[in-house]
Amino acid sequence: MTDHAAETRLVGLFNSIGTDFDALRPSLWGPAGQALVDELDIRPGERILDICSGTGASALPAARATGPAGTVVAVDFAAELLDIASTNAADEGLEIDCVVADVTGLKAGTPPCATPFDVVACSFGVFFLPNMDDAVRNVLSLLRPGGRMGASIWHADSLREFSDIYRASVAEVAGETSHQGPRSGSRMPISHIDTEESVSQWFTTLGAQKVDTSVYRLRIECTPDFAWKMVVGTGMRGALTPLDDEQIAQVRQVFLERLASEGPAEINCDTLIAVATV
């Protein structure tokens, strides 16, 4: 599969899960996004570029932090997600500039990056970028000297037990299917940046002058309702794409039964947060 075909599939996936994706914002994306913004120490009046914005997990708290004197440009390739982000911002009386674009095509000196940014934020998105190193190196070039980029990433220990049970459930019903989420294999890009040491080293090799890391501890009760939302509202849903309705119902039943008998009481959603200063 070409990179373009893979990107097209990913765009289609995330455009299809908007409502389910946003249903996770109160318990997962929102708290983690706020933690990312807190670590970035955004100040009133700063210019913020929020990439892989989704429905606004980090763009919304960034807008609160920078205030009416500041600017938040939210970029994502999934128009459906940005539509929800725009609505969420309006509901809170916040202003964000939503731009449907490929993050890898952003260029310094051209809209929406005509002026350097003080901050770039990326909530659970860097590991989805094609050619991740080159893409983030380019994003860092959009910052002013002394600017900072913050990224939230699934920690090495997060989601593993949950994801293993999900993959086993899909395999039991339909065999192996592709795109089962960021934990679907050791060769996924996230496996190279999911510890404090590895993400710090990674940002340094990309040109950062300083990298600060922390782990935001987030455990969420593993109820059947939340567990299935985690499937249909994240990249894990990709494994269901080739299945028919009956098979999906079977996967849901097998998955929830497995979780009840052998799964954790809480889902480990611990988030690694790295802030790189250029």
Side-chain angles (χ1 to χ4, degrees):
M1 176 176 291
T2 66
D3 287 345
H4 177 71
E7 180 179 324
T8 299
R9 184 180 69 174
L10 201 58
V11 171
L13 171 65
F14 280 103
N15 268 325
S16 72
I17 67 174
T19 301
D20 293 319
F21 183 93
D22 198 53
L24 293 168
R25 187 166 54 92
S27 54
L28 176 56
W29 311 131
Q34 182 65 60
L36 172 62
V37 168
D38 289 345
E39 291 299 321
L40 278 164
D41 191 26
I42 293 172
R43 294 177 283 277
E46 289 194 309
R47 284 178 48 79
I48 318 299
L49 174 64
D50 189 86
I51 63 171
C52 307
S53 297
T55 60
S58 49
L60 298 179
R64 296 185 208 110
T66 194
T71 300
V72 176
V73 178
V75 177
D76 201 294
F77 56 21
E80 296 295 329
L81 296 185
L82 283 183
D83 284 345
I84 296 173
S86 182
T87 299
N88 291 338
D91 288 345
E92 292 193 36
L94 300 171
E95 185 172 340
I96 61 176
D97 182 12
C98 292
V99 177
V100 179
D102 181 349
V103 169
T104 63
L106 298 177
K107 296 186 182 301
T110 62
C113 307
T115 303
F117 291 93
D118 300 295
V119 173
V120 172
C122 186
S123 183
F124 297 105
V126 293
F127 44 84
F128 284 119
L129 295 174
N131 302 311
M132 183 175 68
D133 291 8
D134 290 342
V136 173
R137 190 179 288 110
N138 178 61
V139 168
L140 291 174
S141 74
L142 306 177
L143 288 165
R144 63 166 174 79
R148 54 213 188 274
M149 176 178 177
S152 59
I153 300 157
W154 295 115
H155 187 267
D157 295 329
S158 66
L159 296 181
R160 289 198 178 276
E161 190 174 2
F162 182 86
S163 296
D164 287 347
I165 292 172
Y166 174 60
R167 286 196 298 272
S169 301
V170 173
E172 180 177 329
V173 172
E176 294 294 333
T177 68
S178 62
H179 200 71
Q180 297 191 18
R183 291 296 185 205
S184 61
S186 61
R187 299 185 64 179
M188 296 294 285
I190 193 173
S191 65
H192 304 297
I193 56 171
D194 59 2
T195 66
E196 291 180 87
E197 180 180 5
S198 62
V199 75
S200 181
Q201 182 178 8
W202 177 64
F203 266 123
T204 299
T205 64
L206 299 182
Q209 301 301 306
K210 176 186 176 185
V211 184
D212 296 308
T213 62
S214 61
V215 177
Y216 175 63
R217 188 180 186 277
L218 181 59
R219 309 295 170 91
I220 301 175
E221 183 181 1
C222 188
T223 65
D225 179 65
F226 182 77
W228 192 244
K229 283 180 180 177
M230 276 292 290
V231 168
V232 297
T234 69
M236 295 183 191
R237 184 167 176 162
L240 304 178
T241 302
L243 309 185
D244 58 33
D245 290 345
E246 182 178 350
Q247 288 176 307
I248 292 173
Q250 290 174 342
V251 169
R252 184 179 186 277
Q253 180 178 349
V254 170
F255 174 57
L256 295 181
E257 287 175 353
R258 281 176 175 263
L259 277 179
S261 63
E262 60 190 85
E266 295 180 318
I267 302 173
N268 181 339
C269 297
D270 288 359
T271 303
L272 175 63
I273 297 175
V275 176
T277 303
V278 299

